[in-house]
């Protein structure tokens, strides 16, 4: 079954399409990554065809995702600093204020 771009855009307008959007965003990122191989694509196709994710695969995926999130957090802390939160960084930015001239 080939789905047209217009069908996908229409489906994404539905209030219940949150998961579809999340999966498409993740797939878009994956397809840009040269490490996402044809073998990975085949594995995803087989999961979709099966209509379920085996429990042990789901658990292993959760563990791997947790390690990935930790790596991203570590990178964030290295770039921003571990004692600064994102809110602190935003507050520290100068603010532009528009003033009318009295002259």
């Amino acid at each position: 079954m080939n789905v047209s771009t217009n069908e996908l855009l229409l489906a994404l307008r539905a209030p219940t399409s949150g998961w579809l959007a999340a999966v498409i965003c993740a797939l878009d990122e994956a397809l840009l990554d040269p490490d996402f191989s044809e073998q990975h694509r085949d594995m995803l196709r087989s999961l979709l065809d099966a209509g379920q994710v085996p429990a042990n695969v789901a658990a292993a995926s959760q563990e791997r995702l947790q390690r990935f999130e930790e790596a991203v957090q570590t990178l964030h802390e290295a770039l921003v600093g571990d004692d600064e939160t994102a809110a602190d960084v935003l507050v520290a930015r100068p603010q532009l204020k528009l003033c009318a001239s009295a002259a």
Side-chain angles (χ1 to χ4, degrees):
M1 172 183 169
N2 287 333
V3 178
S4 73
T5 300
N6 288 338
E7 288 175 294
L8 282 170
L9 291 172
L10 184 60
L12 288 168
R13 293 181 69 183
T16 58
S17 66
W19 279 111
L20 177 62
V23 170
I24 289 173
C25 286
L27 182 58
D28 183 44
E29 287 293 321
L31 291 171
L32 295 173
D33 187 338
D35 291 335
F36 185 67
S37 68
E38 188 60 39
Q39 183 180 9
H40 293 137
R41 293 180 184 104
D42 289 341
M43 287 186 255
L44 283 177
R45 281 186 202 101
S46 69
L47 288 173
L48 287 170
D49 290 343
Q52 66 180 1
V53 177
N56 56 347
V57 172
S61 296
Q62 287 290 334
E63 288 176 24
R64 181 62 185 96
L65 184 58
Q66 179 64 35
R67 289 193 309 271
F68 175 71
E69 289 173 344
E70 290 168 359
V72 169
Q73 181 64 34
T74 300
L75 179 61
H76 173 77
E77 290 171 356
L79 294 174
V80 175
D82 57 355
D83 60 338
E84 291 181 312
T85 64
D88 294 334
V89 172
L90 290 175
V91 170
R93 290 184 181 165
Q95 295 184 4
L96 175 64
K97 296 187 182 191
L98 299 175
C99 301
S101 173

